[in-house]
Amino acid sequence: MSSLEFLYLDHNSLTGAFPLVIFNLSSLKSIDITGNYLIAGNNLSGTLPVDLCSHCPNLQRLYISRNKFSGKLPSQFNNCRELSVLSLSYNMFDGSIPKGFVSLKKLESLYLGGNNLIGNIPPIVSNLSMLQGFYAERNNIKGSMPSDLWRLQNLKELDIHYNDLTGTIPPNIFNITSLQSLNLLGNSLSGNLSLDTRIPCPNLGGLVLGDNNISGRIPSYLSNCSNLVAVDLSRNLLSGPIPRSLGNLKYLEIIDLGDNQLTEESGH
């Protein structure tokens, strides 16, 4: 099948090791083997070759989520210059996020959630200028968030919930005007949320910072995020009153402020 460009085997009940020889088809543009788990115990498995892109220079989309692939993530992406979607989530990958991702200049969506990844988020993630979605939830990622995430000016969704991130949330992340959803639930992030004097984020619809160690007052400037639909600041160390200005958020459907140290506004 030397002319094969699209291979779709997703959402079946395929089992066994995925034949790596498929990656020798230089004409391939898209592979989708997502979710071969419709019968309990049935999953595709195996490891991905280190030189995944050596023979697939035209690959644009690779979907292998929700299987049982294991081992380290491929470290060499030098030849995957056309890759726009890389979906590796909910497998059994371990090790750290490879620095080789820096070569993926056209990457728009990176799905790494639900694996056993460790280490830090490498600074190179901030060099993926076309990135619109970064998902690394439910891993064992530690360390602080890269301070230069603000460089991702096309970023729409950032989801790193249920990891072990520490330190403060870089305030300049809220300068990403394209940002629509930020989910950092269930980490060990700290810092005084009220010290950040503004959050422009005109397109922000979801802000989920629950189950961390964030302190300070609930900032009144949240009312500037006029498109907010859901806010979760629960299970933190927030204090003081609930800002009246939150009442101006006309699209707000969900707000969770439980398990903090909030007080009644003085004089009421």
Side-chain angles (χ1 to χ4, degrees), residues 114-235:
N115 284 290
N116 299 308
L117 300 177
I118 59 173
N120 301 335
I121 300 174
I124 54 93
V125 169
S126 303
N127 293 324
L128 304 176
S129 59
M130 299 297 292
L131 199 64
Q132 296 181 23
F134 178 63
Y135 311 88
E137 77 281 2
R138 297 181 183 274
N139 280 288
N140 298 302
I141 297 172
K142 300 180 182 296
S144 58
M145 297 177 63
S147 59
D148 58 351
L149 284 173
W150 61 270
R151 294 170 58 184
L152 300 175
Q153 288 300 313
N154 290 303
L155 191 67
K156 294 181 179 179
E157 297 186 352
L158 178 62
D159 188 348
I160 323 177
H161 76 266
Y162 288 133
N163 279 281
D164 195 19
L165 294 174
T166 54
T168 59
I169 301 171
N172 52 23
I173 195 173
F174 296 109
N175 292 328
I176 303 175
T177 56
S178 59
L179 193 64
Q180 297 177 5
S181 176
L182 177 63
N183 189 346
L184 302 176
L185 175 75
N187 282 281
S188 298
L189 294 165
S190 58
N192 191 327
L193 196 63
S194 57
L195 291 180
D196 304 329
T197 56
R198 61 190 181 92
I199 296 184
C201 282
N203 296 303
L204 191 65
L207 179 63
V208 182
L209 306 179
D211 203 5
N212 280 285
N213 299 309
I214 300 170
S215 60
R217 297 190 171 213
I218 298 174
S220 59
Y221 54 76
L222 278 180
S223 59
N224 296 331
C225 304
S226 57
N227 288 307
L228 273 174
V229 175
V231 175
D232 182 358
L233 302 177
S234 63
R235 300 182 299 283

Side-chain angles (χ1 to χ4, degrees), residues 34-74:
T34 300
N36 276 279
Y37 61 97
L38 296 187
I39 296 179
N42 284 8
N43 294 89
L44 287 171
S45 60
T47 58
L48 293 179
V50 175
D51 57 346
L52 172 68
C53 303
S54 294
H55 305 291
C56 284
N58 297 308
L59 194 62
Q60 298 173 6
R61 294 174 294 276
L62 176 62
Y63 303 91
I64 66 169
S65 294
R66 298 188 181 277
N67 283 288
K68 287 187 178 178
F69 285 91
S70 59
K72 303 288 189 294
L73 295 178

